[in-house]
Amino acid sequence: MTNKKQTQTKKISFILALSVIIYAAIDTYLFLCHDISIMRVATPVIIGLVIAILLCGLLHKFFYRWLIKNPICFSFGEQISHAAESENIIEINDVTEALPIGQPMDSPEQECPPSQQSNQDSGNPDCPEDSHLAKYDVILEKLKKREIEKQAEIMNAIREYVTIKTAPYLAKEAIAILISNIEYMACDQPDLYKPIRSNIDNPLRSPGLRHLAWNVGERLGVSLAKRAIFIKASFPYELEKATLEYLRLNLRDNVPSQIPIDVPDKGDYRFHLDIAYDDSQ
């Protein structure tokens, strides 16, 4: 604020100084070249302007102080409106005094009551709150249906992935049991797991089984401990020497395996089946 005032003061000083210089130059030119003295013409005008400015300032201060001591309302329209409001208040008071105690003033046809009353009188089609609450069940049903459809799509993708990845190592019946065990893991029913065994001539080894459990469990969103229990119960022979703690800590290790780690893309559950499943063999 101080800098702004200093800047304005400098500008005004510069303008005044420039005006004095211009005035002196014009006065000198007219006096020397045309023998004309501006002072004789300008002096009465300057004196008159100074007197008028001083008089205006004095009158301004006088009226300002007088109006502070004696306030006057010049808003005639506001006075009328206030008077009308006071008359309306008097009429309303008269009406309320004439009504019996407990009887409402408004007619039965009112605007929609607030949310507290709409909870008591649900089902009123005239109230927007009721219409939105009526849509609640529909919206909830749609969300549940969408979630069920998504889970079905995830399970279909898992069935396809498991069939493709384990076909070289498991019999058809074993793959069916493995898919059932995956469904039990999704439903958190580990007591229903059934053991299977891979082909003797081409068995699945521990790294590939650990990666399989991680890839499937990642799509289902189950914990590492549940993935370890699932894969240990499904392949007890191949993972005979592996403890549940070891499996939990090494589901996603970076080692060569028959089934590599398949990290899903962000916000997607699909597997990367475009990569040849036997590249890591």
Side-chain angles (χ1 to χ4, degrees):
M1 194 69 182
T2 305
N3 295 333
K4 187 176 180 180
K5 289 183 177 180
Q6 291 179 355
T7 304
Q8 291 178 352
T9 304
K10 289 181 180 179
K11 290 182 179 179
I12 294 172
S13 302
F14 174 75
I15 293 172
L16 291 175
L18 184 62
S19 301
V20 171
I21 293 172
I22 293 173
Y23 175 81
I26 294 173
D27 181 58
T28 304
Y29 171 76
L30 293 176
F31 181 77
L32 294 177
C33 298
H34 302 282
D35 197 16
I36 298 175
S37 179
I38 298 179
M39 294 299 296
R40 286 180 291 181
V41 180
T43 299
V45 177
I46 294 173
I47 293 173
L49 289 174
V50 171
I51 293 173
I53 292 171
L54 293 175
L55 183 61
C56 180
L58 292 174
L59 290 173
H60 172 70
K61 290 183 178 180
F62 170 76
F63 284 120
Y64 178 75
R65 292 176 181 175
W66 187 81
L67 288 172
I68 290 176
K69 296 179 181 180
N70 305 283
I72 298 175
C73 182
F74 295 99
S75 303
F76 302 104
E78 292 182 0
Q79 291 178 352
I80 295 171
S81 62
H82 290 317
E85 288 177 359
S86 62
E87 291 178 359
N88 292 334
I89 293 172
I90 294 171
E91 292 178 358
I92 292 172
N93 291 334
D94 294 338
V95 173
T96 52
E97 290 176 358
L99 287 172
I101 297 175
Q103 180 176 350
M105 289 179 57
D106 297 336
S107 61
E109 297 180 356
Q110 303 180 16
E111 294 183 356
C112 181
S115 58
Q116 292 84 356
Q117 298 180 7
S118 66
N119 292 333
Q120 299 175 359
D121 303 328
S122 60
N124 187 359
D126 296 333
C127 299
E129 291 87 352
D130 293 335
S131 62
H132 292 309
L133 290 176
K135 295 179 182 178
Y136 173 81
D137 295 332
V138 178
I139 295 173
L140 189 62
E141 188 67 25
K142 288 183 179 180
L143 292 175
K144 290 181 179 179
K145 183 178 180 182
R146 191 176 302 170
E147 184 65 23
I148 293 173
E149 292 176 351
K150 183 179 179 181
Q151 292 298 327
E153 292 176 358
I154 293 174
M155 285 305 304
N156 288 334
I158 290 174
R159 293 187 188 98
E160 180 185 11
Y161 170 77
V162 170
T163 301
I164 293 175
K165 290 295 184 180
T166 61
Y169 316 103
L170 299 178
K172 185 176 181 180
E173 295 77 9
I175 294 177
I177 296 174
L178 178 60
I179 292 175
S180 297
N181 289 348
I182 293 173
E183 293 173 352
Y184 296 144
M185 178 174 62
C187 299
D188 196 14
Q189 295 177 326
D191 53 322
L192 299 179
Y193 292 152
K194 295 180 180 179
I196 54 179
R197 185 172 180 177
S198 57
N199 298 334
I200 298 176
D201 54 343
N202 190 17
L204 278 167
R205 298 179 179 84
S206 177
L209 293 173
R210 297 198 304 268
H211 295 170
L212 176 66
W214 190 91
N215 295 339
V216 173
E218 194 70 11
R219 271 70 179 183
L220 295 175
V222 299
S223 64
L224 296 178
K226 292 181 179 180
R227 302 179 202 184
I229 294 172
F230 151 74
I231 202 65
K232 174 76 173 180
S234 298
F235 295 92
Y237 179 81
E238 287 81 354
L239 302 175
E240 181 180 3
K241 298 180 180 180
T243 63
L244 291 176
E245 183 65 15
Y246 171 81
L247 293 174
R248 184 181 68 83
L249 296 175
N250 293 276
L251 289 175
R252 191 185 172 181
D253 54 358
N254 189 17
V255 295
S257 64
Q258 298 158 310
I259 301 176
I261 289 292
D262 190 336
V263 181
D265 297 332
K266 186 176 181 180
D268 196 359
Y269 59 84
R270 289 173 294 183
F271 296 88
H272 301 88
L273 293 174
D274 52 332
I275 302 174
Y277 62 85
D278 57 348
D279 286 347
S280 59
Q281 297 182 17

